[in-house]
Amino acid sequence: MKLSASQAVEVLRAAGEPSRLRILALLAREELAVLELCRVLDQSQPRVSRHLKLLAEAGLVERFPDGAWVFYRLTAGGQGGDLIAEVLARTDPADPILVRDAERLSAVWAERAADAGEYFARNAARWDEIRSLYVSDADVEAAILAAAGPGPFKRMVDLGSGTGRMLTLLAPHAQAALGLDLSQQMLNIARNRVTEAGLQRCELRHGDIFGTRLPDESADLVVVHQVLHYLADPAAAVKEAARIVAGGGRLIIADFAPHRLEFLREQHQHRRLGFAEPEMARWLAEAGLSKVRVTALPPARKEGLTVKIWTAERGQERQRSAA
């Protein structure tokens, strides 16, 4: 459906202000929290919130609370979004104001990365102990094994492999397995565990979940275990993970249900406090996966967190059409 003349005017009016156009350009890069936008724009929270309110009313951005934080992202799809995408595409990236915003956003990214790197390095040796405070490992592993199925798998890929927990669990059922992680400390621990488990066809590699550089549809089992809540753009990570799922293969995502334990954000580098089922279902569908199934595992202790396991598959239509 195309925009009416009045709708087009409303969209352009909402975007037709310098700060709001800057906000749209920033959100085109990733979802951002209000306070992060304030830092980049160097504007007060009330002023930025007012701009965001107008953009949301025009249907150009989506607002979603996450614990005590509020995040915004560009609205997916729609003629209004397409119009703004065209405007942004025609905006000179060398504009001094946009360049300055990009530099400030890069500084925010660098600060996040430094904090996360320090945290993971400090806690690598006791990572499983930290996780055990919130979930029952035995229940989660049993549910992941059930979601994966008996195999055998030609190739299993673990994105954000951490200490190698998913590799030691699932790689015995795979002809070949690959674990990617950005933390060298985590990779060192994972290598030791993989060796101790006698897994000879298991490779560990320094790699980024946002850009794995793996071929399209190259793994019949892809796992993202307790990773998304650390990421600035979890939807992009889901898209990249889905890209490497082969026809007839499946993607397994294990993460938390929405919660309000702010100390995980403050003390343990969690960026998102869990994920709602409709949000994850939309990301998986947009990534081309279907047959989504969800398993919920309630906490073993009162102060614990509910773990959800999403399983989605890629159909074999492409394989048949290529045959």
Side-chain angles (χ1 to χ4, degrees):
M1 180 183 296
K2 293 185 177 296
L3 293 172
S4 66
S6 62
Q7 288 172 326
V9 168
E10 288 301 315
V11 168
L12 293 171
R13 181 179 290 127
E17 193 278 338
S19 292
R20 292 199 286 274
L21 185 62
R22 291 166 65 192
I23 288 172
L24 291 169
L26 289 166
L27 294 180
R29 293 171 174 264
E30 65 169 75
E31 61 184 38
L32 290 166
V34 175
L35 291 178
E36 291 174 326
L37 286 166
C38 293
R39 286 183 58 188
V40 174
L41 298 172
D42 195 23
Q43 296 181 11
S44 68
Q45 183 174 346
R47 185 176 180 183
V48 171
S49 294
R50 173 62 178 167
H51 288 314
L52 290 166
K53 182 175 184 293
L54 294 173
L55 291 170
E57 289 174 347
L60 299 180
V61 302
E62 297 176 344
R63 175 186 188 276
F64 59 103
D66 187 73
W69 285 26
V70 177
F71 287 88
Y72 284 84
R73 59 183 166 223
L74 294 184
T75 300
Q79 293 297 322
D82 292 344
L83 179 57
I84 293 305
E86 178 68 19
V87 170
L88 292 175
R90 292 176 177 273
T91 303
D92 184 2
D95 179 274
I97 293 177
L98 297 182
V99 169
R100 184 183 61 192
D101 286 349
E103 290 172 348
R104 288 177 174 172
L105 182 59
S106 294
V108 172
W109 287 344
E111 186 177 307
R112 275 192 222 141
D115 289 345
E118 180 184 344
Y119 171 78
F120 290 128
R122 187 171 64 248
N123 290 288
R126 53 189 290 263
W127 190 243
D128 290 336
E129 175 191 347
I130 292 173
R131 279 181 170 162
S132 70
L133 297 175
Y134 316 119
V135 300
S136 167
D137 286 348
D139 289 347
V140 172
E141 291 180 3
I144 288 175
L145 283 170
F153 309 107
K154 292 182 180 178
R155 193 183 197 200
M156 174 249 180
V157 173
D158 181 20
L159 299 179
S161 54
T163 59
R165 179 175 164 201
M166 291 296 102
L167 291 171
T168 56
L169 180 69
L170 294 167
H173 307 284
Q175 296 175 15
L178 170 66
L180 296 182
D181 204 289
L182 280 174
S183 169
Q184 291 290 0
Q185 289 86 353
M186 292 289 191
L187 288 171
N188 290 338
I189 294 173
R191 287 191 181 96
N192 289 339
R193 292 193 171 182
V194 164
T195 299
E196 290 170 359
L199 299 172
Q200 298 180 351
R201 298 184 301 277
C202 186
E203 177 186 0
L204 282 147
R205 188 186 303 173
H206 186 263
D208 189 349
I209 193 172
F210 294 113
T212 64
R213 295 185 289 182
L214 298 175
D216 291 351
E217 301 188 25
S218 56
D220 49 350
L221 178 62
V222 179
V223 180
V224 182
H225 176 258
Q226 298 292 10
V227 174
L228 294 184
H229 57 256
Y230 292 107
L231 304 180
D233 193 351
V238 171
K239 183 178 180 180
E240 175 67 2
R243 181 185 66 78
I244 62 177
V245 176
R250 64 184 56 177
L251 168 64
I252 297 175
I253 296 173
D255 219 294
F256 298 124
H259 63 87
R260 301 188 66 84
L261 299 183
E262 285 291 338
F263 80 93
L264 291 176
R265 179 177 278 146
E266 297 163 0
Q267 300 176 23
H268 294 286
Q269 297 297 313
H270 289 208
R271 180 169 173 82
R272 291 287 303 275
L273 300 185
F275 299 93
E277 289 187 21
E279 179 178 47
M280 189 69 74
R282 187 175 82 233
W283 292 345
L284 292 168
E286 290 173 351
L289 302 186
S290 59
K291 297 183 180 178
V292 178
R293 299 183 298 279
V294 186
T295 301
L297 301 174
R301 56 203 335 193
K302 183 178 180 181
E303 68 274 19
L305 302 173
T306 294
V307 172
K308 289 202 172 180
I309 297 171
W310 287 267
T311 306
E313 300 181 12
R314 183 181 299 285
Q316 300 195 36
E317 290 77 6
R318 289 193 200 180
Q319 287 187 336
R320 288 198 295 267
S321 63

